[in-house]
Amino acid sequence: PTTQLRTFCLLFDGMLPGHPMKPLRYLISTGKTRGAGGVIIRSASKAELEEGKMKGFTSTFTMITPEEYDRAMEVQPDFGEELASLAVGKLTGQEIVASRTLEQDETFATLRQTEAGRQGLDRLSDYLREMFLGPQTPSSAAYSPVSSSGGAGARSESADSYSSPGF
């Protein structure tokens, strides 16, 4: 299991235009016991092709140390959870395993409660919108799912009235 935010980001990562499936990625799991801290998983995937058609698919999952994670992120940061980092920033391996509240901290409801959380969700939303719809220019903004008159995606200082654009 992982956090609500990271599950959402993982699903979208594979669908983004220009984001091919990554044969190697690093994932954060909150573990089976709530409040027990996180673990870091290295996931390796390989499609088995025969005459250009998928014959099979193999995935391996290996727990790694915080130090291994930090070294991997220095070399291949895009194999981490880059979409989630748009919303909550990059965490070190030690921060991941030490966190006892990561699962609660990374729900959409919790993130909407603070200005920093709302700004992070805005960054993620803006990035996804641009990846799927292309850059928004002043002339295309009129056709955007975000309306400056308070329609879908309207942003407010109140956490209760925040709505995420296009989702």
Side-chain angles (χ1 to χ4, degrees):
T2 190
T3 69
Q4 187 180 58
L5 171 71
R6 291 173 191 280
T7 299
F8 174 86
C9 292
L10 184 61
L11 293 172
F12 269 89
D13 189 47
M15 293 188 289
L16 288 174
H19 279 229
M21 190 183 91
K22 296 172 183 160
L24 181 68
R25 65 173 56 232
Y26 295 85
L27 309 169
I28 296 170
S29 175
T30 55
K32 292 182 179 179
T33 306
R34 187 171 279 199
V39 295
I40 305 165
I41 308 291
R42 180 178 51 235
S43 168
S45 302
K46 181 181 179 186
E48 300 168 31
L49 303 176
E50 186 174 286
E51 297 179 18
K53 295 183 181 178
M54 186 178 293
K55 176 182 169 187
F57 192 82
T58 304
S59 291
T60 59
F61 300 91
T62 307
M63 279 183 33
I64 62 170
T65 67
E67 295 77 23
E68 288 174 293
Y69 176 79
D70 292 339
R71 283 192 303 272
M73 291 303 97
E74 287 175 14
V75 176
Q76 295 176 307
D78 57 327
F79 283 13
E81 296 179 308
E82 60 185 324
L83 290 180
S85 71
L86 289 170
V88 295
K90 294 183 186 274
L91 300 175
T92 67
Q94 192 57 45
E95 289 171 326
I96 293 164
V97 298
S99 176
R100 302 285 186 245
T101 61
L102 193 61
E103 190 172 9
Q104 176 59 38
D105 294 343
E106 292 186 0
T107 67
F108 292 107
T110 300
L111 291 167
R112 287 191 310 257
Q113 292 176 5
T114 66
E115 182 62 28
R118 288 189 297 274
Q119 288 175 358
L121 290 174
D122 286 346
R123 278 190 303 276
L124 176 59
S125 176
D126 291 345
Y127 178 80
L128 291 173
R129 184 181 307 104
E130 185 172 319
M131 291 303 296
F132 282 108
L133 303 176
Q136 298 293 302
T137 62
S139 62
S140 66
Y143 303 103
S144 169
V146 177
S147 167
S148 61
S149 62
R155 294 179 176 97
S156 165
E157 295 301 312
S158 166
D160 295 333
S161 64
Y162 179 87
S163 64
S164 182
F167 302 116

